[in-house]
Amino acid sequence: MMSLLVKLFVRNYENVSDPRVKKAYAALSGITGIVLNMVLCTAKLVIGFFCHSVAVTADGFNNLSDAGTSLISLLGFKIAGYGGGSMHPFGHGRFEWVMGIFTSAAVFLMGIKLAGTSAAAIANPSRTLFDGTVAAVLLLSVAVKLYMYFYNKRFAEVTGSETLKAAAADCISDSVATAAVFLSAVIGCSTGLAVDGYCGALVSVFIMFNGVKSLWEVLGRIMGKAADQDTVEQILQRVRAHREIAGVQDLMLHDYGFGYFAVSMRAEGYRKDSGKLSAAVSDIAYELYRQFRCDCCIQIDYLLKDKALEKTLTEKIYDAAGRYSEDIQICQFRLLEDGEHITAAFELLYPTGQKKHEAELCRDITQSIEAEDPRYRVMIKSVIRRPHFRFRADF
């Protein structure tokens, strides 16, 4: 069914790199989620009321919260789809993340309220009714939620939306929770045990867990997460096509939400190829714009080959770093021509315990090298070294 709806309501649905197409996918997912969750909510609340089942009622409120989540997400997608302006030149895509925070908080609070209701049911249990209608509604709910999981997962892959990824995860946990409600109803009917309140508590825990999980994912996106490796590889393929570029450093994707990002990097080469390097950088920026509709900023760094100087400066770096820790390492060391100056650029890997000494460490290294010759400059990228740490992808 979703394939038919995509063909009917998403123009150019195969062109998934177009932000307008991503917006259409997200809108379709949101509207479908609202409709399906409201249908399930209504059915479960009615069944829960007549059968005196707290677990079924709790599961119905869970669907109501999901419908509210879809509605808020739909609003977030609408605003996120607006382009850049004078006040927000990078667009409004990050508004989706802001709405995700409120959505996650609302889901968590709903779980707390339902936990209180379940606790009351445990303290004062009542007999629940179970028949074919209840079983049919619960099993249908499991099937619908699994269906919603698959289309949300697919749409999340198309749009790259954290909200839709969270919605997919929420759907699969909802199907498990509803299956637990069905199991409790069967146990209560066949054995007479009052497990309804306990199952309602279990459902409320699922709701709170999903709220926290969704909030954590949104906060991780806001704080800045690692770039998608497929996108990084596509960018590097463009760069590798130009042999005059000897390497790439500091490749970064600045995510502004809803599929829009800006690319920045430092392209390294040699002074003798300066003309070709300038042309290559211009070609790469244009190719990335055509492929991703993104802005691109590329700085050219000219490498200097001087093994003797490289050995001298690395020894000075290790001498200065050794006063703090023997576990400090340097990597990606290179010498750059910078007009009258020579810049020693490198990454400094240090243990977590040396974080408090980072400023002093960098200062001592810089002073040690600059004291050697006033032409020398130092550019340090400090990186905390953790177990199994990988600092960059190979060029």
Side-chain angles (χ1 to χ4, degrees):
M1 184 183 74
M2 287 305 297
S3 298
L4 177 61
L5 292 178
V6 167
K7 293 178 181 179
L8 289 175
F9 296 105
V10 180
R11 294 183 179 180
N12 301 320
Y13 63 91
E14 294 180 344
N15 185 19
V16 295
S17 61
D18 188 340
R20 291 171 296 183
V21 175
K22 293 183 178 183
K23 179 182 177 181
Y25 270 102
L28 179 59
S29 175
I31 293 172
T32 306
I34 292 172
V35 173
L36 293 178
N37 277 305
M38 286 306 299
V39 171
L40 293 176
C41 171
T42 302
K44 290 178 183 179
L45 290 181
V46 171
I47 294 296
F49 175 79
F50 285 106
C51 296
H52 310 292
S53 173
V54 173
V56 175
T57 302
D59 206 29
F61 277 112
N62 185 25
N63 291 129
L64 179 62
S65 70
D66 289 341
T69 299
S70 296
L71 180 61
I72 295 175
S73 298
L74 188 61
L75 175 62
F77 285 131
K78 182 68 175 178
I79 298 176
Y82 292 151
S86 57
M87 293 185 64
H88 303 285
F90 299 107
H92 297 74
R94 288 180 174 175
F95 191 81
E96 179 204 350
W97 307 348
V98 176
M99 298 302 288
I101 293 176
F102 291 105
T103 300
S104 302
V107 171
F108 183 77
L109 292 175
M110 177 68 74
I112 292 178
K113 182 172 180 60
L114 292 179
T117 304
S118 300
I122 293 172
N124 300 289
S126 61
R127 180 175 176 78
T128 60
L129 303 177
F130 183 73
D131 56 19
T133 304
V134 178
V137 169
L138 293 178
L139 292 177
L140 178 63
S141 176
V142 173
V144 170
K145 279 296 182 178
L146 287 174
Y147 175 70
M148 293 175 67
Y149 162 75
F150 285 111
Y151 81 69
N152 272 303
K153 183 174 182 292
R154 176 191 168 196
F155 287 1
E157 292 172 352
V158 171
T159 63
S161 169
E162 291 295 332
T163 301
L164 293 182
K165 290 180 183 178
D170 181 58
C171 288
I172 197 68
S173 63
D174 282 349
S175 65
V176 174
T178 303
V181 172
F182 175 79
L183 183 61
S184 75
V186 172
I187 294 174
C189 180
S190 59
T191 65
L193 296 176
V195 297
D196 183 64
Y198 294 99
C199 190
L202 179 63
V203 173
S204 68
V205 170
F206 266 109
I207 295 174
M208 288 187 286
F209 173 78
N210 285 328
V212 173
K213 182 175 180 292
S214 178
L215 179 61
W216 182 255
E217 290 178 352
V218 174
L219 291 177
R221 190 76 177 268
I222 292 174
M223 291 173 63
K225 60 183 296 186
D228 177 68
Q229 287 303 306
D230 290 337
T231 304
V232 171
E233 183 58 31
Q234 291 182 59
I235 294 173
L236 290 177
Q237 285 179 0
R238 297 283 185 181
V239 177
R240 292 188 187 107
H242 301 271
R243 295 185 177 181
E244 56 273 14
I245 297 180
V248 171
Q249 300 290 340
D250 301 333
L251 172 60
M252 290 186 285
L253 272 62
H254 309 271
D255 190 356
Y256 293 97
F258 217 70
Y260 175 72
F261 59 88
V263 179
S264 65
M265 70 181 84
R266 306 171 74 97
E268 297 177 342
Y270 296 95
R271 183 75 66 178
K272 62 184 180 65
D273 298 321
S274 58
K276 292 181 179 180
L277 282 171
S278 297
V281 163
S282 179
D283 288 344
I284 293 169
Y286 180 70
E287 290 166 359
L288 294 179
Y289 167 77
R290 288 291 302 272
Q291 182 175 359
F292 298 108
R293 307 295 295 180
C294 67
D295 293 322
C296 185
C297 178
I298 306 177
Q299 176 176 323
I300 298 176
D301 288 337
Y302 294 108
L303 296 170
L304 174 65
K305 280 189 174 181
D306 191 330
K307 294 295 184 181
L309 179 58
E310 180 177 336
K311 181 180 179 181
T312 299
L313 296 185
T314 53
E315 288 176 351
K316 285 188 169 295
I317 294 171
Y318 277 118
D319 286 343
R323 294 194 290 270
Y324 294 86
S325 173
E326 296 295 330
D327 295 327
I328 296 176
Q329 297 182 5
I330 60 175
C331 62
Q332 301 303 316
F333 184 92
R334 64 259 186 220
L335 297 176
L336 308 176
E337 295 185 61
D338 188 13
E340 297 179 353
H341 297 89
I342 297 175
T343 301
F346 56 92
E347 292 181 354
L348 188 69
L349 277 61
Y350 58 87
T352 306
Q354 294 297 321
K355 174 64 178 176
K356 58 185 177 181
H357 301 300
E358 178 184 340
E360 297 93 328
L361 175 60
C362 292
R363 182 196 60 208
D364 289 351
I365 291 175
T366 300
Q367 291 177 350
S368 175
I369 293 179
E370 291 181 349
E372 182 76 11
D373 192 313
R375 296 178 303 155
Y376 295 164
R377 291 177 172 177
V378 181
M379 188 165 59
I380 304 174
K381 181 178 180 181
S382 300
V383 181
I384 297 176
R385 189 180 188 188
R386 303 181 188 278
H388 309 296
F389 174 74
R390 290 186 63 186
F391 56 88
R392 73 186 288 269
D394 293 334
F395 175 72

